Short mmCIF file of all heavy atoms in Angstrom, two decimals:
data_model
loop_
_atom_site.label_atom_id
_atom_site.label_comp_id
_atom_site.label_asym_id
_atom_site.label_seq_id
_atom_site.Cartn_x
_atom_site.Cartn_y
_atom_site.Cartn_z
N PRO A 14 -20.48 76.95 -66.26
CA PRO A 14 -20.58 75.74 -65.40
C PRO A 14 -20.60 76.10 -63.91
O PRO A 14 -20.08 77.21 -63.58
CB PRO A 14 -19.36 74.90 -65.79
CG PRO A 14 -18.40 75.93 -66.25
CD PRO A 14 -19.16 76.99 -66.87
N PRO A 15 -21.01 75.23 -63.04
CA PRO A 15 -20.96 75.48 -61.61
C PRO A 15 -19.58 75.24 -61.12
O PRO A 15 -18.70 74.81 -61.82
CB PRO A 15 -21.96 74.48 -60.97
CG PRO A 15 -21.91 73.33 -61.99
CD PRO A 15 -21.73 74.01 -63.35
N ASP A 16 -19.41 75.62 -59.86
CA ASP A 16 -18.10 75.35 -59.18
C ASP A 16 -18.11 73.85 -58.88
O ASP A 16 -19.08 73.33 -58.33
CB ASP A 16 -18.06 76.19 -57.91
CG ASP A 16 -16.77 75.95 -57.12
OD1 ASP A 16 -15.75 75.63 -57.74
OD2 ASP A 16 -16.77 76.05 -55.89
N PHE A 17 -16.96 73.19 -59.07
CA PHE A 17 -16.84 71.81 -58.87
C PHE A 17 -16.02 71.52 -57.58
O PHE A 17 -15.20 70.63 -57.54
CB PHE A 17 -16.25 71.05 -60.06
CG PHE A 17 -17.11 71.11 -61.30
CD1 PHE A 17 -16.52 71.61 -62.52
CD2 PHE A 17 -18.43 70.80 -61.30
CE1 PHE A 17 -17.25 71.67 -63.63
CE2 PHE A 17 -19.13 70.87 -62.51
CZ PHE A 17 -18.57 71.33 -63.65
N SER A 18 -16.20 72.31 -56.54
CA SER A 18 -15.41 72.08 -55.30
C SER A 18 -15.70 70.67 -54.70
O SER A 18 -16.81 70.22 -54.72
CB SER A 18 -15.65 73.10 -54.23
OG SER A 18 -16.70 73.89 -54.44
N GLY A 19 -14.62 70.04 -54.29
CA GLY A 19 -14.70 68.69 -53.84
C GLY A 19 -14.42 67.64 -54.92
O GLY A 19 -14.37 66.47 -54.67
N PHE A 20 -14.19 68.18 -56.13
CA PHE A 20 -13.98 67.28 -57.29
C PHE A 20 -12.77 67.84 -58.10
O PHE A 20 -12.54 69.06 -58.21
CB PHE A 20 -15.20 67.22 -58.20
CG PHE A 20 -16.40 66.56 -57.57
CD1 PHE A 20 -17.26 67.27 -56.82
CD2 PHE A 20 -16.57 65.17 -57.62
CE1 PHE A 20 -18.33 66.70 -56.24
CE2 PHE A 20 -17.64 64.60 -57.04
CZ PHE A 20 -18.56 65.34 -56.30
N LYS A 21 -12.03 66.91 -58.75
CA LYS A 21 -10.96 67.27 -59.68
C LYS A 21 -11.53 67.10 -61.09
O LYS A 21 -12.16 66.04 -61.38
CB LYS A 21 -9.78 66.34 -59.43
CG LYS A 21 -8.64 66.57 -60.40
CD LYS A 21 -7.52 65.60 -60.16
CE LYS A 21 -6.49 65.69 -61.24
NZ LYS A 21 -5.47 64.64 -61.05
N LEU A 22 -11.34 68.05 -61.96
CA LEU A 22 -11.81 67.99 -63.31
C LEU A 22 -10.91 66.99 -64.08
O LEU A 22 -9.72 67.22 -64.21
CB LEU A 22 -11.82 69.38 -63.95
CG LEU A 22 -12.24 69.42 -65.46
CD1 LEU A 22 -13.68 69.02 -65.59
CD2 LEU A 22 -12.06 70.80 -65.99
N ILE A 23 -11.46 65.88 -64.59
CA ILE A 23 -10.74 64.92 -65.37
C ILE A 23 -10.84 65.21 -66.83
O ILE A 23 -9.88 65.12 -67.55
CB ILE A 23 -11.27 63.46 -65.05
CG1 ILE A 23 -11.15 63.15 -63.56
CG2 ILE A 23 -10.55 62.41 -65.91
CD1 ILE A 23 -9.75 63.06 -63.05
N MET A 24 -12.08 65.54 -67.25
CA MET A 24 -12.29 65.89 -68.67
C MET A 24 -13.47 66.82 -68.78
O MET A 24 -14.45 66.80 -68.06
CB MET A 24 -12.60 64.54 -69.45
CG MET A 24 -12.86 64.73 -70.91
SD MET A 24 -13.43 63.21 -71.71
CE MET A 24 -15.17 63.33 -71.36
N GLY A 25 -13.35 67.69 -69.83
CA GLY A 25 -14.50 68.49 -70.11
C GLY A 25 -14.12 69.98 -70.18
O GLY A 25 -13.10 70.41 -69.74
N PRO A 26 -15.04 70.74 -70.71
CA PRO A 26 -16.32 70.27 -71.24
C PRO A 26 -16.16 69.71 -72.63
O PRO A 26 -15.40 70.27 -73.40
CB PRO A 26 -17.16 71.55 -71.21
CG PRO A 26 -16.20 72.67 -71.49
CD PRO A 26 -14.91 72.20 -70.76
N THR A 27 -16.91 68.67 -72.89
CA THR A 27 -17.09 68.24 -74.29
C THR A 27 -18.49 68.65 -74.63
O THR A 27 -19.36 68.79 -73.81
CB THR A 27 -16.89 66.72 -74.46
OG1 THR A 27 -17.90 66.01 -73.64
CG2 THR A 27 -15.53 66.26 -74.07
N GLN A 28 -18.70 68.82 -75.93
CA GLN A 28 -19.98 69.33 -76.41
C GLN A 28 -20.55 68.38 -77.46
O GLN A 28 -19.85 67.99 -78.39
CB GLN A 28 -19.81 70.77 -76.96
CG GLN A 28 -21.08 71.36 -77.47
CD GLN A 28 -20.81 72.75 -78.04
OE1 GLN A 28 -20.30 73.61 -77.28
NE2 GLN A 28 -21.11 73.01 -79.24
N SER A 29 -21.84 68.11 -77.36
CA SER A 29 -22.50 67.34 -78.41
C SER A 29 -23.82 68.00 -78.80
O SER A 29 -24.49 68.60 -77.94
CB SER A 29 -22.75 65.86 -78.02
OG SER A 29 -23.64 65.80 -76.91
N ILE A 30 -24.12 67.94 -80.06
CA ILE A 30 -25.40 68.55 -80.56
C ILE A 30 -26.14 67.57 -81.43
O ILE A 30 -25.58 66.85 -82.18
CB ILE A 30 -25.05 69.83 -81.41
CG1 ILE A 30 -24.35 70.89 -80.60
CG2 ILE A 30 -26.30 70.37 -82.04
CD1 ILE A 30 -23.90 72.09 -81.32
N SER A 31 -27.41 67.51 -81.22
CA SER A 31 -28.33 66.69 -82.01
C SER A 31 -29.47 67.51 -82.46
O SER A 31 -30.10 68.22 -81.70
CB SER A 31 -28.83 65.49 -81.13
OG SER A 31 -29.85 64.79 -81.77
N SER A 32 -29.75 67.48 -83.78
CA SER A 32 -30.83 68.23 -84.33
C SER A 32 -31.47 67.37 -85.42
O SER A 32 -30.78 66.77 -86.23
CB SER A 32 -30.34 69.51 -84.92
OG SER A 32 -31.42 70.26 -85.44
N SER A 33 -32.83 67.34 -85.37
CA SER A 33 -33.55 66.53 -86.48
C SER A 33 -34.90 67.11 -86.73
O SER A 33 -35.47 67.78 -85.92
CB SER A 33 -33.62 65.03 -86.04
OG SER A 33 -34.43 64.91 -84.90
N TRP A 34 -35.38 66.79 -87.90
CA TRP A 34 -36.75 67.12 -88.31
C TRP A 34 -37.41 65.78 -88.65
O TRP A 34 -36.97 65.07 -89.53
CB TRP A 34 -36.80 68.03 -89.56
CG TRP A 34 -36.42 69.47 -89.27
CD1 TRP A 34 -35.17 70.00 -89.26
CD2 TRP A 34 -37.31 70.52 -88.93
NE1 TRP A 34 -35.21 71.33 -88.96
CE2 TRP A 34 -36.55 71.67 -88.75
CE3 TRP A 34 -38.70 70.55 -88.75
CZ2 TRP A 34 -37.14 72.87 -88.41
CZ3 TRP A 34 -39.23 71.79 -88.42
CH2 TRP A 34 -38.45 72.90 -88.26
N ILE A 35 -38.50 65.50 -87.93
CA ILE A 35 -39.27 64.25 -88.22
C ILE A 35 -40.72 64.67 -88.37
O ILE A 35 -41.33 65.21 -87.38
CB ILE A 35 -39.05 63.24 -87.08
CG1 ILE A 35 -37.59 62.86 -86.99
CG2 ILE A 35 -39.91 62.00 -87.38
CD1 ILE A 35 -37.25 62.04 -85.81
N ASN A 36 -41.28 64.38 -89.52
CA ASN A 36 -42.73 64.72 -89.79
C ASN A 36 -42.99 66.16 -89.45
O ASN A 36 -44.08 66.45 -88.85
CB ASN A 36 -43.66 63.76 -89.03
CG ASN A 36 -43.52 62.34 -89.52
OD1 ASN A 36 -43.23 62.10 -90.64
ND2 ASN A 36 -43.74 61.40 -88.59
N GLY A 37 -42.13 67.05 -89.78
CA GLY A 37 -42.37 68.49 -89.56
C GLY A 37 -42.04 68.96 -88.17
O GLY A 37 -42.22 70.15 -87.89
N ASN A 38 -41.66 68.03 -87.24
CA ASN A 38 -41.35 68.43 -85.87
C ASN A 38 -39.84 68.47 -85.66
O ASN A 38 -39.14 67.48 -85.99
CB ASN A 38 -41.94 67.48 -84.90
CG ASN A 38 -43.45 67.51 -84.90
OD1 ASN A 38 -44.07 68.59 -84.97
ND2 ASN A 38 -44.10 66.34 -84.82
N ARG A 39 -39.33 69.58 -85.16
CA ARG A 39 -37.92 69.74 -84.93
C ARG A 39 -37.60 69.33 -83.50
O ARG A 39 -38.26 69.73 -82.58
CB ARG A 39 -37.51 71.20 -85.14
CG ARG A 39 -36.00 71.43 -84.90
CD ARG A 39 -35.64 72.91 -85.10
NE ARG A 39 -34.20 73.04 -85.02
CZ ARG A 39 -33.62 73.63 -83.97
NH1 ARG A 39 -34.39 74.10 -82.94
NH2 ARG A 39 -32.32 73.79 -83.91
N THR A 40 -36.53 68.58 -83.35
CA THR A 40 -36.00 68.30 -82.04
C THR A 40 -34.51 68.81 -81.99
O THR A 40 -33.83 68.67 -82.98
CB THR A 40 -36.00 66.82 -81.67
OG1 THR A 40 -35.32 66.03 -82.67
CG2 THR A 40 -37.40 66.30 -81.60
N TYR A 41 -34.12 69.32 -80.94
CA TYR A 41 -32.76 69.87 -80.78
C TYR A 41 -32.27 69.54 -79.37
O TYR A 41 -33.05 69.66 -78.40
CB TYR A 41 -32.79 71.38 -80.99
CG TYR A 41 -31.34 72.01 -80.81
CD1 TYR A 41 -30.49 72.07 -81.87
CD2 TYR A 41 -30.98 72.50 -79.60
CE1 TYR A 41 -29.25 72.64 -81.68
CE2 TYR A 41 -29.77 73.09 -79.42
CZ TYR A 41 -28.89 73.18 -80.46
OH TYR A 41 -27.64 73.70 -80.28
N SER A 42 -31.04 69.19 -79.27
CA SER A 42 -30.43 68.95 -77.91
C SER A 42 -28.94 69.31 -78.05
O SER A 42 -28.25 68.91 -78.97
CB SER A 42 -30.61 67.49 -77.53
OG SER A 42 -29.95 67.27 -76.33
N LYS A 43 -28.51 70.06 -77.05
CA LYS A 43 -27.05 70.40 -76.93
C LYS A 43 -26.66 70.01 -75.48
O LYS A 43 -27.35 70.33 -74.51
CB LYS A 43 -26.87 71.90 -77.15
CG LYS A 43 -25.46 72.38 -77.06
CD LYS A 43 -25.39 73.85 -77.43
CE LYS A 43 -23.99 74.33 -77.59
NZ LYS A 43 -24.02 75.78 -77.97
N THR A 44 -25.56 69.32 -75.38
CA THR A 44 -25.06 68.82 -74.10
C THR A 44 -23.60 69.20 -73.86
O THR A 44 -22.79 68.99 -74.74
CB THR A 44 -25.22 67.29 -74.03
OG1 THR A 44 -26.60 66.95 -74.31
CG2 THR A 44 -24.80 66.72 -72.70
N TYR A 45 -23.35 69.71 -72.66
CA TYR A 45 -21.98 69.90 -72.17
C TYR A 45 -21.70 68.81 -71.15
O TYR A 45 -22.47 68.66 -70.23
CB TYR A 45 -21.79 71.28 -71.54
CG TYR A 45 -21.88 72.39 -72.52
CD1 TYR A 45 -23.02 73.17 -72.66
CD2 TYR A 45 -20.74 72.75 -73.27
CE1 TYR A 45 -23.10 74.23 -73.54
CE2 TYR A 45 -20.81 73.83 -74.16
CZ TYR A 45 -22.01 74.58 -74.29
OH TYR A 45 -22.06 75.63 -75.15
N THR A 46 -20.61 68.03 -71.34
CA THR A 46 -20.34 66.90 -70.45
C THR A 46 -19.02 67.17 -69.71
O THR A 46 -18.02 67.61 -70.33
CB THR A 46 -20.26 65.59 -71.25
OG1 THR A 46 -21.53 65.41 -71.84
CG2 THR A 46 -19.91 64.44 -70.33
N TYR A 47 -19.00 66.84 -68.41
CA TYR A 47 -17.80 66.91 -67.63
C TYR A 47 -17.62 65.56 -66.89
O TYR A 47 -18.59 64.94 -66.51
CB TYR A 47 -17.93 67.96 -66.51
CG TYR A 47 -17.93 69.41 -67.02
CD1 TYR A 47 -19.16 69.95 -67.48
CD2 TYR A 47 -16.79 70.15 -67.03
CE1 TYR A 47 -19.17 71.29 -67.97
CE2 TYR A 47 -16.84 71.46 -67.52
CZ TYR A 47 -18.02 72.03 -67.96
OH TYR A 47 -18.06 73.32 -68.47
N ILE A 48 -16.33 65.11 -66.76
CA ILE A 48 -16.03 63.97 -65.96
C ILE A 48 -15.19 64.47 -64.79
O ILE A 48 -14.17 65.17 -64.94
CB ILE A 48 -15.20 62.91 -66.74
CG1 ILE A 48 -15.97 62.50 -68.04
CG2 ILE A 48 -14.88 61.71 -65.89
CD1 ILE A 48 -17.27 61.83 -67.81
N LEU A 49 -15.68 64.13 -63.53
CA LEU A 49 -15.04 64.59 -62.31
C LEU A 49 -14.60 63.45 -61.40
O LEU A 49 -15.28 62.39 -61.45
CB LEU A 49 -16.00 65.49 -61.57
CG LEU A 49 -16.65 66.66 -62.35
CD1 LEU A 49 -17.77 67.23 -61.52
CD2 LEU A 49 -15.62 67.68 -62.67
N GLN A 50 -13.55 63.66 -60.67
CA GLN A 50 -13.06 62.67 -59.69
C GLN A 50 -13.19 63.34 -58.31
O GLN A 50 -12.67 64.43 -58.09
CB GLN A 50 -11.55 62.34 -59.95
CG GLN A 50 -10.95 61.42 -58.97
CD GLN A 50 -11.29 60.01 -59.20
OE1 GLN A 50 -11.22 59.53 -60.37
NE2 GLN A 50 -11.63 59.26 -58.16
N PRO A 51 -13.85 62.64 -57.36
CA PRO A 51 -13.95 63.23 -56.04
C PRO A 51 -12.56 63.30 -55.38
O PRO A 51 -11.69 62.47 -55.62
CB PRO A 51 -14.83 62.17 -55.24
CG PRO A 51 -15.41 61.32 -56.25
CD PRO A 51 -14.57 61.40 -57.49
N THR A 52 -12.37 64.31 -54.56
CA THR A 52 -11.09 64.53 -53.86
C THR A 52 -11.23 64.19 -52.39
O THR A 52 -10.18 63.95 -51.75
CB THR A 52 -10.59 65.96 -54.03
OG1 THR A 52 -11.58 66.88 -53.50
CG2 THR A 52 -10.30 66.27 -55.47
N ASN A 53 -12.42 64.11 -51.82
CA ASN A 53 -12.59 63.84 -50.39
C ASN A 53 -13.92 63.10 -50.19
O ASN A 53 -14.74 63.05 -51.14
CB ASN A 53 -12.63 65.13 -49.60
CG ASN A 53 -11.31 65.84 -49.59
OD1 ASN A 53 -10.30 65.27 -49.20
ND2 ASN A 53 -11.32 67.13 -49.98
N LEU A 54 -14.06 62.55 -49.01
CA LEU A 54 -15.36 61.94 -48.59
C LEU A 54 -16.28 63.08 -48.13
O LEU A 54 -15.79 64.10 -47.66
CB LEU A 54 -15.12 60.94 -47.44
CG LEU A 54 -14.13 59.82 -47.75
CD1 LEU A 54 -14.05 58.93 -46.47
CD2 LEU A 54 -14.65 58.90 -48.87
N GLY A 55 -17.53 62.78 -48.22
CA GLY A 55 -18.51 63.80 -47.75
C GLY A 55 -19.63 64.00 -48.76
O GLY A 55 -19.76 63.31 -49.79
N THR A 56 -20.51 65.02 -48.46
CA THR A 56 -21.57 65.38 -49.37
C THR A 56 -21.19 66.69 -49.97
O THR A 56 -20.92 67.66 -49.21
CB THR A 56 -22.90 65.40 -48.67
OG1 THR A 56 -23.17 64.08 -48.15
CG2 THR A 56 -24.02 65.81 -49.61
N PHE A 57 -21.21 66.80 -51.30
CA PHE A 57 -20.80 68.04 -51.97
C PHE A 57 -21.94 68.52 -52.84
O PHE A 57 -22.67 67.75 -53.45
CB PHE A 57 -19.56 67.75 -52.87
CG PHE A 57 -18.40 67.28 -52.08
CD1 PHE A 57 -18.17 65.94 -51.94
CD2 PHE A 57 -17.53 68.22 -51.46
CE1 PHE A 57 -17.04 65.51 -51.16
CE2 PHE A 57 -16.47 67.79 -50.72
CZ PHE A 57 -16.17 66.43 -50.54
N LYS A 58 -22.07 69.82 -52.86
CA LYS A 58 -23.15 70.48 -53.65
C LYS A 58 -22.57 70.93 -54.96
O LYS A 58 -21.60 71.73 -54.96
CB LYS A 58 -23.74 71.67 -52.89
CG LYS A 58 -24.89 72.32 -53.60
CD LYS A 58 -25.45 73.42 -52.72
CE LYS A 58 -26.64 74.01 -53.41
NZ LYS A 58 -27.25 75.06 -52.53
N ILE A 59 -23.20 70.43 -56.05
CA ILE A 59 -22.85 70.93 -57.38
C ILE A 59 -23.84 72.06 -57.58
O ILE A 59 -25.02 71.81 -57.65
CB ILE A 59 -22.99 69.87 -58.45
CG1 ILE A 59 -22.08 68.63 -58.16
CG2 ILE A 59 -22.66 70.45 -59.85
CD1 ILE A 59 -20.65 68.79 -58.32
#
């Protein structure tokens, strides 16, 4: 994951996976999710 400066980590990473075959076509998706709380005002680069 990137550096989350300017944010406090509230939750994460959580991981979800989705995989399916429909009419011979495979779809796959994997997601890592983070919940962050800002610690200051301003513009922050993730």
Side-chain angles (χ1 to χ4, degrees):
D16 180 30
F17 298 128
S18 10
F20 295 89
K21 176 182 173 186
L22 179 64
I23 302 295
M24 182 187 84
T27 60
Q28 178 180 305
S29 63
I30 296 174
S31 170
S32 182
S33 65
W34 284 90
I35 299 173
N36 295 329
N38 294 319
R39 179 180 185 253
T40 59
Y41 178 88
S42 176
K43 183 176 188 179
T44 304
Y45 291 98
T46 300
Y47 292 84
I48 305 296
L49 307 171
Q50 175 80 46
T52 56
N53 292 305
L54 302 178
T56 299
F57 299 94
K58 182 177 184 176
I59 304 287

